[in-house]
Amino acid sequence: MTQHLSSTQDIPEFSAIPRHVAIIMDGNGRWAGKRMMPRVAGHSEGLSAVRKIVQECHRSGVQYLTIFAFSSENWRRPPEEVGFLMKLFLKSLKGEVARLVENDICLRVIGDLSRFDPAIQEMVQFSQEKTAGCKAITLTVAANYGGRWDILQAMRRCLEVNPNLKPEQVTEELLAPHLSMAYAPEPDLFIRTGGEQRVSNFLLWQLAYTELYFTDILWPEFDELELRKAFHWFSQRERRFGRTSAQLASQALSDAV
Ligand code: IPE
Ligand code: IPE
Ligand code: MG
């Protein structure tokens, strides 16, 4: 497995198109409410937006796309909505796997899958195996995922592997390989639709130096044009990773020579 260094240890290479995009797809319920439709209709519509955005990321050269489908806190929703989301997850896994393979898209699912129905767990396993050799883009779906859960499970696994670890021996390098997305570099760009400006327990560790983009557009309306707007905004950012602007300018000058 490729080991990606954390942004606090190494400065990642810059490119105008983000290598890794992480999205909180928010606003499905409000999209439906505005149309006098039940909330769940917004979730179905949201799935069409997912297809569009995966394709556009693929076309643009994004290598990793990570989407938040269900948080560890979303179990608090009414049981009918949770049940609908579970059915939709299973249906979309079944319906999309052939298309993923055809488009060379590798699927990974992160989160505590043990709470899901066995049929979902099996389908996740099957879809991951079927797409394991795909190389064009890695699509990660975060399901029953929480950033705090991720850090805790990584800590537990780290202690399992190194049972005699002393507190002073705990380092980023030792912990990071146990995080559930250790196969990917940290996200360059985070997008949250739906107008809220919060992280809602998404990738807490991995967002340390990610550029954060918030838009009022509701997820079912987020399309290729909106994604390109986010990429344009990203390309204008000065990613300093702790350094000064003057240091960046002199590095750009020496790179040019
Ligand atoms: C995001 O949309 C989808 C999930 C959390 C599954 P919401 O369902 O949160 O939509 P709003 O925020 O209520 O509009
Ligand atoms: C975050 O959206 C989770 C997903 C998009 C899956 P929420 O709608 O659950 O977030 P909060 O509750 O508004 O913070
Ligand atoms: Mg929401």
Side-chain angles (χ1 to χ4, degrees), residues 118-137:
I120 295 184
Q121 296 186 36
E122 280 160 29
M123 199 56 214
V124 165
Q125 179 84 13
F126 175 79
S127 313
Q128 291 190 138
E129 281 167 11
K130 274 274 177 213
T131 64
C134 297
K135 297 259 179 291
I137 180 169

Side-chain angles (χ1 to χ4, degrees), residues 24-26 68-71 74 77 192 196 198 200:
I24 296 190
M25 314 181 288
D26 197 19
F68 206 4
F70 193 85
S71 77
N74 285 146
R77 294 193 176 194
R192 181 170 187 147
E196 311 298 348
R198 54 179 173 248
S200 300

Side-chain angles (χ1 to χ4, degrees), residues 45-111:
E45 192 65 22
L47 187 59
S48 314
V50 171
R51 286 197 199 94
K52 273 189 233 165
I53 296 311
V54 172
Q55 282 303 332
E56 188 59 18
C57 281
H58 184 188
R59 260 200 299 274
S60 310
V62 170
Q63 292 168 34
Y64 298 89
L65 170 63
T66 302
I67 54 177
F68 206 4
F70 193 85
S71 77
S72 42
E73 289 70 53
N74 285 146
W75 297 105
R76 296 173 179 155
R77 294 193 176 194
E80 309 77 54
E81 182 170 344
V82 171
F84 182 91
L85 285 166
M86 293 301 137
K87 276 200 207 105
L88 188 66
F89 187 32
L90 184 59
K91 198 172 115 194
S92 52
L93 283 171
K94 282 186 180 158
E96 300 296 324
V97 66
R99 203 195 311 234
L100 293 175
V101 173
E102 206 177 295
N103 290 296
D104 203 22
I105 300 167
C106 174
L107 180 78
R108 307 282 295 244
V109 180
I110 56 167

Side-chain angles (χ1 to χ4, degrees), residues 138-197:
T138 299
L139 169 66
T140 301
V141 176
N144 192 21
Y145 179 87
R148 291 190 179 177
W149 164 83
D150 198 0
I151 296 168
L152 287 172
Q153 68 80 30
M155 196 64 232
R156 287 188 200 113
R157 278 168 49 188
C158 182
L159 289 172
E160 264 165 35
V161 178
N162 309 283
N164 301 319
L165 204 62
K166 298 203 180 74
E168 64 275 17
Q169 293 170 321
V170 179
T171 59
E172 278 193 35
E173 292 95 320
L174 219 56
L175 187 71
H178 301 288
L179 289 164
S180 54
M181 240 194 338
Y183 54 85
E186 292 174 8
D188 302 293
L189 172 64
F190 160 99
I191 298 173
R192 181 170 187 147
T193 62
E196 311 298 348
Q197 302 201 353

Side-chain angles (χ1 to χ4, degrees), residues 200-231:
S200 300
N201 199 15
F202 195 25
L203 305 161
L204 298 180
W205 176 283
Q206 298 86 341
L207 293 178
Y209 267 106
T210 304
E211 301 295 330
L212 308 178
Y213 179 85
F214 298 95
T215 169
D216 288 338
I217 302 282
L218 304 172
W219 176 250
E221 287 168 346
F222 192 81
D223 59 9
E224 294 87 344
L225 181 66
E226 291 299 330
L227 184 70
R228 283 199 288 273
K229 276 194 212 164
F231 285 177

